[in-house]
Amino acid sequence: MKLSVHNLTKDFGGKLAVNNVSFSLSHGVYGLLGPNGAGKTTLMKMMVDILDPSSGEVLLDGVRIKELDAGYRDKLGYMPQEIGVYKNFSARKFLKYIAALKGITGKTADEKIEELLDLVGLKDVGKKKLGGFSGGMLRRIGIAQTLLNDPKILILDEPTAGLDPQERIRFRNIISELSENRIVLLSTHIISDMEFIAGEVIIMRNGSILKIDTTEKLLQEVTGKVWTAVVSHSELNGLKKQYTIGNIIQRSNGIEVRIVGNQKPSFPCETTKPILEDVFSYYFGGNVL
Ligand SMILES: Nc1ncnc2c1ncn2[C@@H]1O[C@H](COP(=O)(O)OP(=O)(O)OP(=O)(O)O)[C@@H](O)[C@H]1O
Ligand SMILES: [Mg+2]
């Protein structure tokens, strides 16, 4: 299975939200990463055929999705950035309703719903009304809903937004489990999510693709370009003017800074093993995401 985007562009009255983007996805988890307004949601909406491109096309195994139409939608699970739910519905009733909309009814629907409630850890609260659910529980219902038709292509727009650390781990694990034999594309602002689940990362900025690579390759690229030093507050202010500063950690003996750049800084510091956040500091100047 191959999902390709060819020269995809969306022009919102002069604003190029997505600008001539091309790439191909095959099995695995792909992370779409970029700052606010980069064009992630617009790109995803075109990929799930709820927004028409200004130009370019999306192809599944070489066939335009517009031609495949319902045949494409049957293979697709989409979780929008804003999940709308019916607050007075219980979790089970909501899933049953969405299943019916997708043409899944009767015993097949009931069995699938129980399986999914179990997968997302909401079996015990299946009778509870969605109005009383936390943000994380709603995200989990959102993913269960997306999975009702057992889609082979999953497009998830910020599925981990607003989750607490425990829920984030649970979610990552669910996605990793699902990724076998599927194409999963998920957007996030949370770089550490990428480090754990995405095989490949698509970095987007101002409507364009800046980089597509495996996390390993991205890390390799900044190997030898990340340094740490412990400095004072006033030294830090000076460094900020000269270097790209990554993470700053308060230590008992001062402030530990990570500096990312092509040249070794001209003060005492040591090279360190890069983390994915350093890659983004390198490309975005340390303060964009
Ligand atoms: N319907 C619209 N009409 C006009 N401009 C739009 C519309 N939708 C999005 N845009 C603009 O297109 C650009 C990309 O928006 P988009 O929502 O795709 O970004 P994003 O990467 O998903 O951002 P975020 O991280 O905040 O979700 C932004 O500048 C946005 O203001
Ligand atoms: Mg968005």
Side-chain angles (χ1 to χ4, degrees), residues 30 80 108 110 113 134 147 172 200 217-218 287:
Y30 296 82
T108 319
D110 290 341
I113 288 165
S134 71
L147 292 170
R172 279 181 195 155
E200 285 197 42
K217 279 263 177 62
L218 289 171
N287 51 9

Side-chain angles (χ1 to χ4, degrees), residues 7-245:
N7 305 116
L8 210 58
T9 294
K10 185 69 195 183
D11 184 342
F12 286 117
K15 165 82 204 172
L16 279 172
V18 172
N19 186 6
N20 200 24
V21 162
S22 301
F23 58 83
S24 284
L25 312 179
S26 48
H27 294 155
V29 185
Y30 296 82
L32 181 59
L33 202 88
N36 288 127
K40 303 180 296 295
T41 297
T42 308
L43 172 63
M44 286 180 152
K45 282 184 177 170
M46 292 191 282
M47 292 177 76
V48 299
D49 200 20
I50 56 169
L51 181 71
D52 285 332
S54 305
S55 59
E57 53 197 12
V58 183
L59 307 157
L60 179 64
D61 292 328
V63 185
R64 293 172 60 232
I65 57 166
K66 294 270 176 211
E67 251 167 72
L68 293 168
D69 200 29
Y72 179 58
R73 262 185 292 280
D74 285 347
K75 294 195 173 76
L76 191 69
Y78 169 55
M79 182 166 149
Q81 193 165 357
E82 310 294 337
I83 309 168
V85 293
Y86 300 86
K87 289 194 164 60
N88 287 323
F89 278 22
S90 71
R92 251 190 208 93
K93 189 172 168 196
F94 174 69
L95 291 178
K96 204 151 181 168
Y97 172 69
I98 300 293
L101 290 181
K102 293 186 178 191
I104 310 158
T105 52
K107 202 165 159 247
T108 319
D110 290 341
E111 281 173 8
K112 192 74 196 168
I113 288 165
E114 291 317 303
E115 179 196 320
L116 290 174
L117 282 172
D118 199 29
L119 177 78
V120 300
L122 292 176
K123 206 159 191 156
D124 295 345
V125 290
K127 281 191 193 140
K128 279 209 174 148
K129 288 199 172 155
L130 296 177
F133 273 29
S134 71
M137 289 159 90
L138 287 176
R139 295 255 151 208
R140 284 193 258 153
I141 273 292
I143 190 139
Q145 168 215 295
T146 312
L147 292 170
L148 280 165
N149 56 333
D150 200 16
K152 292 290 172 246
I153 302 164
L154 273 175
I155 302 206
L156 312 171
D157 199 353
E158 308 228 7
T160 58
L163 299 190
D164 67 28
Q166 215 181 346
E167 280 183 320
R168 171 155 294 124
I169 293 168
R170 176 195 274 280
F171 213 98
R172 279 181 195 155
N173 291 346
I174 292 173
I175 290 167
S176 294
E177 273 178 50
L178 290 172
S179 66
E180 205 183 341
N181 296 322
R182 285 191 172 93
I183 294 173
V184 183
L185 176 66
L186 64 97
S187 70
T188 180
H189 290 279
I190 300 149
I191 298 169
S192 57
D193 280 350
M194 294 285 172
E195 205 141 24
F196 286 102
I197 50 179
E200 285 197 42
V201 179
I202 303 169
I203 306 176
M204 211 175 170
R205 182 167 65 177
N206 290 333
S208 300
I209 304 289
L210 199 66
K211 196 108 196 136
I212 302 185
D213 229 325
T214 60
T215 46
E216 289 88 0
K217 279 263 177 62
L218 289 171
L219 289 170
Q220 259 172 31
E221 266 182 51
V222 296
T223 298
K225 295 176 179 173
V226 186
W227 292 271
T228 57
V230 176
V231 298
S232 68
H233 266 286
S234 56
E235 283 171 325
L236 176 62
N237 286 330
L239 292 181
K240 277 183 182 165
K241 296 192 183 96
Q242 286 183 61
Y243 301 104
T244 299
I245 307 289

